[in-house]
Amino acid sequence: MESTRLGQHGPRVARLGLGCMGMSDLYGPADRNESIATIHAALDAGITLLDTGDFYGMGHNELLLRDALGGRPRDSVQISVKFGALRGPDGAWNGYDCRPEAVRNFVAYSLKRLGTDYIDIYRPARLDPAVPIEETVGAIADLVKAGYVRHIGLSEVGADTLQRASEVHPISDLQIEYSVISRGIEAAILPTARALGIGITAYGVLSRGLISGHWSQARQGEKDFRGMASPRFQGSNLDNNLALVERMRMLAADLGVTVAQLAIAWAAAQGADIVPLVGARRRDRLQEALGAAALVLQPDDLARLEAIVPPDAAAGERYSPAQMAHLDSEMG
């Protein structure tokens, strides 16, 4: 698999990364053995970047990664960890804490759960409105100096926050939702990131399965994050969005690929500084996603896709109103 440097300041990674959240949280039950087998298959295929969060399953995901990586050379993989989200024992979301003392606390627990001496990329999951980004990044910079963290990343922040953070310490990458139906970063965030030499790790390239080609009306209302809290999966919004998928399916058929492969390849085609994260929980879904690595969309292909899925074609916000309120990236 081809590789790229994650921004001007980050590590060299494969052109696709693996998002591990769904193996522990939010998308319904997952099979532990299949999850570990999927991580192994991803690594064997050349994927090197594994993305997790200390709050995915309240530590479950980090422990899963520890077990999956056992016996493999530590320097053969890059582990990206998000921190700061506060959860209750019932799974409730209780805000964010990115104070310097909290940063030091969170990293200590992550290192222990992951069974490693260092984290490759460490990032706050969201901007804590009560803590200046300079203080949070400064605290992570201290961890870099101490050797506990290799690179600093950010997640779902806007252009101004990117600029302020980069004045404290070089930022390797911004993790943010970016797909053919979620293109809000293109106006200001992406140009700012590029001007600052900050890479993009794009999550949601399949919009949580919505544009994978595998979702259907029959799944509306499923008891996971999508059916219960994501407006794009609800009511008439879902009808509209699945109609977009059917248009994509026609183009994908012309190209001899699947809808998921088309969507992933679109994200990768937006620049060598963009690394799509695929959230496969099973080996069959991973194998499908890996097929996108060999798909090079030509200008005519991209133009056709733009014509059938214009930038504002999706119906519904990408998160519920309560969650949207925590997105610095959506604040203008």
Side-chain angles (χ1 to χ4, degrees):
M1 185 178 294
E2 291 185 1
S3 64
T4 188
R5 183 164 297 284
L6 202 50
Q8 292 179 6
H9 311 289
R12 193 156 196 88
V13 300
R15 284 288 279 129
L16 290 180
L18 181 66
C20 300
M21 179 189 75
M23 297 176 181
S24 299
D25 213 354
L26 298 177
Y27 291 166
D31 181 90
R32 173 184 170 79
N33 291 334
E34 182 62 26
S35 295
I36 290 176
T38 300
I39 294 169
H40 289 169
L43 297 174
D44 292 343
I47 285 177
T48 62
L49 179 63
L50 302 178
D51 181 74
T52 184
D54 63 9
F55 51 92
Y56 291 166
M58 283 66 80
H60 178 277
N61 207 237
E62 291 179 320
L63 293 169
L64 181 74
L65 279 181
R66 179 198 65 191
D67 293 346
L69 295 175
R72 293 184 180 248
R74 177 64 183 86
D75 60 3
S76 68
V77 63
Q78 297 93 31
I79 303 174
S80 167
V81 178
K82 291 183 291 297
F83 71 89
L86 304 176
R87 307 277 307 266
D90 59 352
W93 299 87
N94 298 314
Y96 297 89
D97 187 353
C98 294
R99 295 170 301 143
E101 54 267 42
V103 174
R104 292 188 288 272
N105 179 79
F106 287 136
V107 77
Y109 282 79
S110 285
L111 290 168
K112 182 66 69 173
R113 283 189 293 259
L114 288 165
T116 184
D117 295 328
Y118 67 92
I119 293 168
D120 295 274
I121 309 172
Y122 201 50
R123 70 182 84 240
R126 297 287 187 269
L127 178 68
D128 182 344
V131 181
I133 191 61
E134 291 86 352
E135 292 185 15
T136 301
V137 171
I140 308 175
D142 289 340
L143 298 175
V144 173
K145 293 176 185 175
Y148 296 118
V149 170
R150 295 284 173 86
H151 304 280
I152 300 177
L154 293 171
S155 177
E156 287 288 356
V157 300
D160 178 64
T161 301
L162 272 182
Q163 178 68 55
R164 289 166 51 202
S166 66
E167 291 171 2
V168 177
H169 189 278
I171 304 299
S172 66
D173 66 306
L174 170 66
Q175 188 176 121
I176 195 164
E177 185 166 356
Y178 188 39
S179 74
V180 70
I181 66 168
S182 297
R183 299 177 58 178
I185 74 170
E186 292 177 345
I189 295 174
L190 183 56
T192 299
R194 285 176 166 160
L196 296 170
I198 298 172
I200 300 290
T201 42
Y203 77 87
V205 291
L206 297 181
S207 195
R208 300 168 184 81
L210 180 60
I211 58 172
S212 67
H214 301 297
W215 201 266
S216 68
Q217 269 287 0
R219 298 182 66 179
Q220 184 170 200
E222 285 196 2
K223 301 302 181 182
D224 66 17
F225 164 80
R226 293 165 293 196
M228 300 177 68
S230 178
R232 289 185 174 177
F233 286 82
Q234 298 171 355
S236 60
N237 289 342
L238 182 61
D239 294 333
N240 176 88
N241 296 332
L242 288 180
L244 296 177
V245 175
E246 290 311 306
R247 296 180 207 165
M248 293 176 64
R249 196 184 306 277
M250 294 175 64
L251 174 56
D254 288 346
L255 297 174
V257 299
T258 68
V259 177
Q261 290 167 343
L262 176 62
I264 296 167
W266 178 89
Q270 304 313 302
D273 54 348
I274 294 174
V275 175
L277 296 174
V278 296
R281 300 194 295 169
R282 306 193 322 242
R283 283 168 288 180
D284 59 338
R285 292 288 193 255
L286 173 68
Q287 288 303 316
E288 180 182 22
L290 289 170
L295 175 58
V296 179
L297 296 176
Q298 302 302 316
D300 286 350
D301 303 327
L302 292 168
R304 289 178 64 190
L305 186 52
E306 291 268 344
I308 61 176
V309 186
D312 297 321
E317 298 285 359
R318 53 197 184 98
Y319 286 104
S320 68
Q323 292 169 313
M324 290 290 286
H326 287 292
L327 297 180
D328 182 63
S329 54
E330 296 287 343
M331 299 304 170

